């Protein structure tokens, strides 16, 4: 996978983690504010570089579909979704290691 696509898929993944309160490196008291800001980022209609819609387009994802899948799930469901993505990525890396090729699985597989 193109390094730029890997970068933007990880930005989207980090936003999902932030929304779910997963892997936060801050005091728990600050988490609700981050989650509100992250929800606003997902809800935004902005199309400038780095915006949710822009990232979805770069990754060939439908923003409305991603929003529906992410914003309607509870934190536990998001964590399970991310875990499935991580497991798929690890399995793919293992297979590619055997073949001598490396790539990232599509985030769309997880969302």
């Amino acid at each position: 996978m193109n390094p730029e696509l890997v970068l933007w898929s990880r930005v989207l993944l980090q936003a999902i983690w932030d929304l779910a309160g997963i892997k936060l490196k801050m005091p728990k008291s600050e988490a609700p504010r981050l989650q509100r800001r992250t929800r606003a980022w997902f809800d935004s209609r902005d199309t400038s570089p780095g915006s949710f819609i822009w990232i979805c387009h770069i990754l060939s994802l439908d923003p409305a579909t991603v929003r529906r899948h992410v914003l309607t799930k509870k934190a536990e469901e998001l964590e399970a979704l991310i875990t499935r993505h991580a497991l798929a990525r690890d399995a793919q890396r293992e297979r590619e290691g055997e073949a001598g090729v490396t790539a990232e699985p599509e985030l769309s597989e997880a969302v």
Side-chain angles (χ1 to χ4, degrees):
M1 183 184 243
N2 168 331
E4 183 179 352
L5 296 179
V6 171
L7 169 69
W8 292 115
S9 68
R10 291 192 178 156
V11 168
L12 182 57
L13 185 61
Q14 182 66 52
I16 295 170
W17 285 344
D18 291 348
L19 186 67
I22 300 168
K23 296 188 178 187
L24 295 180
K25 294 180 180 170
M26 64 175 52
K28 286 196 177 220
S29 63
E30 295 178 29
R33 180 171 180 249
L34 175 65
Q35 290 169 313
R36 283 191 303 275
R37 293 182 76 193
T38 304
R39 180 172 286 278
W41 182 78
F42 276 104
D43 283 333
S44 173
R45 299 295 178 222
D46 183 11
T47 60
S48 64
S51 69
F52 169 70
I53 292 173
W54 183 86
I55 290 173
C56 284
H57 289 156
I58 289 293
L59 298 175
S60 300
L61 299 172
D62 176 53
T65 302
V66 175
R67 260 192 204 108
R68 186 175 61 251
H69 283 281
V70 171
L71 296 179
T72 60
K73 293 191 180 342
K74 295 178 182 174
E76 300 80 25
E77 294 172 302
L78 288 173
E79 189 165 8
L81 181 130
I82 291 166
T83 301
R84 281 196 313 273
H85 172 70
L87 291 173
R89 181 193 63 223
D90 292 348
Q92 183 172 352
R93 283 182 179 163
E94 232 175 78
R95 287 190 304 274
E96 290 166 350
E98 295 167 2
V101 181
T102 58
E104 280 283 316
E106 295 286 330
L107 183 63
S108 58
E109 296 169 10
V111 190

